[in-house]
């Protein structure tokens, strides 16, 4: 049944596929070269399987611990920053560090909110003291 459907499809499309249901479409002229090529392809496949296994082991043994150590370090650095932000959050405008002329330049106000705060404004660590 399947064979009839495939042959009917081949006739309908007017195309012949690279292989048939009866066997391979290509028969090598030199059987020795074909055997050598097949052995070489199998050797490459075995070698690539070993190499892929090695890199998988390297990823689990080296990369994952490094990612973990980096995550712990980042946690402590960010905790220190959060503590500093909590301290500066309560400072008045007079006690806030000096703002220099090149900081918080506003040529045109933003069209949202009060026009002073960017989309990434964080009131704990950003402050723009306007001198009107």
């Amino acid at each position: 049944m399947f064979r009839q459907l495939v042959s009917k499809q081949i006739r309908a499309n007017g195309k012949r596929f690279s292989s048939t249901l009866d066997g391979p479409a290509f028969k090598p002229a030199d059987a020795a070269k074909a055997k050598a090529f097949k052995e070489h392809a199998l050797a490459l496949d075995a070698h690539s399987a070993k190499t892929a296994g090695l890199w998988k082991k390297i990823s689990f043994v080296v990369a994952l611990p490094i990612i973990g150590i980096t995550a712990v370090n980042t946690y402590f650095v960010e905790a220190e920053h959060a503590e500093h932000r909590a301290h500066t959050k309560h400072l008045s405008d007079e006690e806030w560090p000096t703002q220099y002329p090149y900081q918080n330049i506003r040529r045109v106000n933003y069209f949202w909110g009060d026009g002073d705060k960017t989309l990434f404004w964080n009131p704990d660590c950003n402050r723009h003291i306007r001198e009107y």
Side-chain angles (χ1 to χ4, degrees):
M1 178 76 179
F2 178 72
R3 183 175 281 198
Q4 291 171 349
L5 288 174
V6 170
S7 63
K8 184 188 266 186
Q9 186 68 32
I10 290 171
R11 276 185 265 126
N13 291 340
K15 298 179 181 178
R16 178 162 180 135
F17 297 108
S18 61
S19 64
T20 63
L21 296 174
D22 299 327
F26 175 76
K27 299 214 190 262
D30 188 0
K33 285 185 177 179
K35 184 179 179 187
F37 176 78
K38 188 173 183 180
E39 289 173 357
H40 177 69
L42 291 173
L44 280 176
D45 190 36
H47 174 71
S48 65
K50 288 179 188 175
T51 305
L54 171 69
W55 281 105
K56 189 175 185 178
K57 290 174 189 169
I58 288 173
S59 296
F60 285 121
V61 173
V62 176
L64 286 180
I66 288 174
I67 290 170
I69 291 168
T70 304
V72 169
N73 180 47
T74 303
Y75 172 78
F76 286 118
V77 168
E78 288 302 317
E80 186 178 332
H81 286 167
E83 182 181 329
H84 178 71
R85 281 193 303 270
H87 170 71
T88 58
K89 180 178 173 181
H90 303 294
L91 293 176
S92 66
D93 286 347
E94 292 79 29
E95 296 173 325
W96 193 258
T98 305
Q99 291 199 14
Y100 296 98
Y102 58 83
Q103 293 177 318
N104 296 315
I105 297 172
R106 306 283 191 268
R107 302 264 188 250
V108 177
N109 287 340
Y110 297 113
F111 60 86
W112 57 82
D114 64 357
D116 185 43
K117 297 173 178 63
T118 67
L119 286 176
F120 306 104
W121 188 268
N122 183 353
D124 292 344
C125 59
N126 298 117
R127 194 177 295 187
H128 185 206
I129 303 166
R130 287 194 171 196
E131 297 173 4
Y132 293 102

